[in-house]
Amino acid sequence: MNAAIRFLNDLRRIGGASRDLNAVFDERLTFGERLADRVAAVGGSWGFIIGFGLFLAAWAVLNTVVLAAHAFDPFPFIFLNLMLSMLAALQAPIIMMSQNRQAAKDRLEARLDYETNLRAEAQIEELHAKIDSLHADIARLVEVRAPR
């Protein structure tokens, strides 16, 4: 949410939406926010899931078949479970930070869309009034010039 507030203040200072709003929003991100987005992008990809699945399979094969009697983490893989728990404990809040920032960006985008729609509606109403005025002027001219 702080990124959205900073963005709105900076947008007011630069004088409007003449630039790409996503680019301006992304320029204002802190290092932590960019890192959270990157972790979420990598952690939520099929490449990560497949790679991590291969790592887990390799860990199990190494500790049960290859090293058998001298395994550094024998079957129930307690050390692996500890590492996975620590990874989940760190990765979950980072992904949530990224999701919160994306939600703030989505809310900002929705607000800007709403404001754009309001401006467009006001301009359409103004054009409608002008057309009505022109129509009335033409009707008066036709009435004045019409032969009787």
Side-chain angles (χ1 to χ4, degrees):
M1 188 64 175
N2 291 338
I5 293 169
R6 280 195 318 270
F7 172 75
L8 287 173
N9 287 333
D10 292 340
L11 184 61
R12 195 175 321 134
R13 255 183 271 144
I14 63 173
S18 60
R19 294 173 55 192
D20 179 21
L21 297 176
N22 288 322
V24 173
F25 192 89
D26 290 343
E27 286 174 4
R28 306 291 189 246
L29 295 178
T30 65
F31 173 75
E33 291 168 335
R34 284 193 303 271
L35 181 62
D37 287 346
R38 189 68 189 133
V39 168
V42 170
S45 68
W46 278 109
F48 176 80
I49 293 169
I50 292 169
F52 205 66
L54 291 174
F55 170 77
L56 293 175
W59 184 283
V61 168
L62 180 69
N63 281 289
T64 54
V65 177
V66 176
L67 298 177
H70 298 85
F72 58 89
D73 188 21
F75 180 71
F77 310 121
I78 295 172
F79 182 65
L80 177 63
N81 283 320
L82 174 66
M83 293 295 121
L84 292 175
S85 297
M86 289 177 12
L87 176 67
L90 291 173
Q91 191 177 22
I94 291 171
I95 290 172
M96 289 178 67
M97 286 187 307
S98 177
Q99 289 175 339
N100 289 340
R101 193 198 60 74
Q102 186 62 43
K105 186 176 179 180
D106 291 343
R107 283 190 302 273
L108 175 63
E109 184 177 1
R111 179 169 177 86
L112 292 174
D113 286 346
Y114 176 72
E115 291 172 2
T116 300
N117 290 342
L118 286 178
R119 283 191 305 273
E121 184 178 349
Q123 289 174 347
I124 289 170
E125 286 178 11
E126 184 180 335
L127 288 173
H128 185 65
K130 286 179 181 179
I131 289 173
D132 286 346
S133 175
L134 286 173
H135 184 54
D137 290 345
I138 291 171
R140 276 193 301 270
L141 283 174
V142 168
E143 193 175 290
V144 169
R145 293 186 182 197
R148 292 185 187 203

